[in-house]
Amino acid sequence: MKRILHILIVMTLVFSVGVTVYADEVSDAMDAVDKAEASLLQADVTDAEALVALVPESETKNVLTSRLNAVQSIITNQVAPAEAAVLQAETTLLQADVTSAQPPVDSLPPSAAKTALLLRLSAVQDIINATATAAVATAETSLLQADVNTAQPLVTALTDGTVKTGLQTRLDVVQDLVDAKAL
């Protein structure tokens, strides 16, 4: 359906503007704008801008340019801040930063950019979970209060869920053993 619409616009452009237009150029520009709208990736906007620049001055070119401006606005106002928040989480590997990065990423419209940011956040969460899990395992092995004290803030910082609950349960058992050993 979208392809038929593209062809009709190209034909209208050729007849109403009175210029010779290569249908492929207009169609390629339209496809590139569609791709940029779907992905919300800066590289796709840049590629689409180059193709739209090849379209002769016309209402079609104006519409494509307006659509690209709208995509650029979303990237500037929504994607870029979400990406900065994810980068912060990747840099610090702190649960608080993952937690604060989640809402701006979740608020993005469905797109390749959103998917990529969600995957990056998930990878950071996996690292945080693995760090807390390793600390609990160390405490389980050593049965030292110092290792329990190291693991506890890592577990406490995790978001509520099965990982946190499971690690806290394991750490509580270790704490009970440490306490019993001290008696």
Side-chain angles (χ1 to χ4, degrees), residues 98-129:
V98 171
T99 301
S100 67
Q102 197 69 52
V105 173
D106 288 344
S107 71
L108 293 174
S111 61
K114 179 177 185 172
T115 300
L117 291 173
L118 286 170
L119 288 172
R120 287 170 58 190
L121 269 182
S122 178
V124 173
Q125 187 64 61
D126 289 347
I127 292 168
I128 292 168
N129 290 349

Side-chain angles (χ1 to χ4, degrees), residues 5 9 47 51 60-61 67 76 80 83 89 94 110 121-122 125 136-137 139 159 170 173 178 181:
L5 182 60
I9 292 172
D47 291 346
L51 292 171
T60 299
K61 183 173 185 167
R67 288 171 58 194
T76 301
E83 189 163 347
L94 294 175
L121 269 182
S122 178
Q125 187 64 61
V136 170
T159 56
R170 288 169 56 190
V173 169
V178 169
K181 192 170 94 174

Side-chain angles (χ1 to χ4, degrees), residues 126-173:
D126 289 347
I127 292 168
I128 292 168
N129 290 349
T131 302
T133 300
V136 170
T138 298
E140 289 170 327
T141 303
S142 72
L143 296 177
L144 294 174
Q145 185 64 51
D147 290 335
V148 172
N149 293 347
T150 298
Q152 187 60 64
L154 297 173
V155 172
T156 300
L158 294 174
T159 56
D160 291 338
T162 58
V163 172
K164 181 177 183 174
T165 301
L167 290 175
Q168 187 60 59
T169 300
R170 288 169 56 190
L171 200 54
D172 289 344
V173 169

Side-chain angles (χ1 to χ4, degrees), residues 12-80:
T12 302
L13 179 65
V14 169
F15 293 116
S16 67
V17 177
V19 296
T20 302
V21 177
Y22 295 107
D24 287 344
E25 288 176 341
V26 175
S27 182
D28 289 348
M30 290 177 164
D31 289 344
V33 171
D34 290 343
K35 182 179 178 184
E37 288 172 331
S39 73
L40 297 179
L41 297 174
Q42 186 63 54
D44 290 340
V45 171
T46 302
D47 291 346
E49 287 171 336
L51 292 171
V52 170
L54 300 175
V55 174
E57 291 302 323
S58 61
E59 185 59 30
T60 299
K61 183 173 185 167
N62 293 340
V63 168
L64 292 173
T65 300
S66 293
R67 288 171 58 194
L68 280 176
N69 289 341
V71 173
Q72 186 63 60
S73 177
I74 291 170
I75 290 171
T76 301
N77 297 319
Q78 294 177 28
V79 176

